[in-house]
């Protein structure tokens, strides 16, 4: 359990009209945050609304990374890895940063713990297969 620090819930949609997806990502993210830190979890939503995950770096994603680097955030929850980025090298870099900074990353959709070497590499390979080999 992660205590006394902030859990970041990162949500992103490709369009500003996708309100249902935003609400679902918020709800699912909060459920996972509560599992990580308990019912009284302290969390912050970082939203990338109407932003592509292919070639952009949303300002709230950068703000979240800053908060992780300064030690404000101890865990990140996202609906799926594709919300972080659709670029495999960017996801790999993100997961490496999380490990280096001792920050837990949980994906609602993929629902694995990405803190160990084996799980992280397995997760990356599954992501590559899912997004590139369809």
């Amino acid at each position: 359990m992660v205590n006394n620090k902030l859990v970041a819930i990162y949500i992103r949609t490709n369009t500003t009209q996708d309100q249902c997806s935003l609400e679902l990502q918020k709800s699912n993210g909060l459920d996972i945050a509560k599992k990580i830190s308990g019912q009284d979890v302290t969390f912050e939503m970082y939203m990338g609304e109407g932003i592509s995950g292919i070639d952009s770096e949303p300002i709230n994603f950068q703000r979240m990374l800053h908060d992780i680097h300064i030690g404000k955030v101890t865990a990140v929850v996202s609906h799926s890895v594709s919300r972080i980025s659709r670029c495999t090298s960017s996801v790999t870099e993100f997961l490496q940063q999380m490990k280096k900074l001792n920050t837990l990353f949980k994906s609602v959709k993929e629902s694995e713990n990405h803190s160990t070497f084996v799980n992280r590499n397995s997760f990356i390979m599954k992501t590559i297969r899912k997004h590139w080999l369809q």
Side-chain angles (χ1 to χ4, degrees):
M1 217 182 235
V2 176
N3 293 316
N4 301 328
K5 293 281 185 152
L6 191 69
V7 175
I9 301 174
Y10 183 71
I11 60 177
R12 183 184 60 76
T13 60
N14 294 343
T15 66
T16 55
Q17 286 88 31
D18 201 356
Q19 201 60 32
C20 180
S21 177
L22 279 175
E23 293 306 317
L24 181 63
Q25 288 182 56
K26 286 178 188 178
S27 174
N28 289 343
L30 186 54
D31 288 345
I32 295 295
K34 287 177 181 177
K35 287 178 184 174
I36 293 170
S37 293
Q39 291 297 316
D40 296 329
V41 63
T42 302
F43 68 93
E44 184 168 341
M45 297 280 182
Y46 296 82
M47 296 176 56
E49 192 174 355
I51 297 173
S52 169
I54 295 173
D55 58 1
S56 62
E57 292 187 359
I59 193 156
N60 282 329
F61 183 76
Q62 295 305 315
R63 186 172 59 85
M64 179 183 72
L65 287 178
H66 171 76
D67 290 348
I68 292 166
H69 281 275
I70 64 170
K72 179 179 174 183
V73 170
T74 57
V76 176
V77 175
S78 184
H79 180 72
S80 74
V81 69
S82 67
R83 300 302 86 199
I84 300 301
S85 178
R86 291 199 182 269
C87 175
T88 305
S89 61
S90 295
V91 170
T92 302
E93 181 182 329
F94 174 77
L95 292 174
Q96 289 172 339
Q97 283 184 50
M98 296 302 95
K99 179 173 175 37
K100 181 179 176 184
L101 298 168
N102 199 28
T103 304
L104 177 67
F105 173 69
K106 292 291 278 185
S107 163
V108 173
K109 191 172 181 181
E110 287 88 11
S111 69
E112 293 180 18
N113 181 339
H114 308 293
S115 61
T116 68
F117 176 79
V118 172
N119 287 349
R120 189 171 52 259
N121 286 337
S122 173
F123 175 70
I124 290 168
M125 293 309 296
K126 287 178 189 177
T127 301
I128 291 169
R129 282 195 304 271
K130 180 179 178 184
H131 293 286
W132 286 37
L133 303 176
Q134 291 181 352

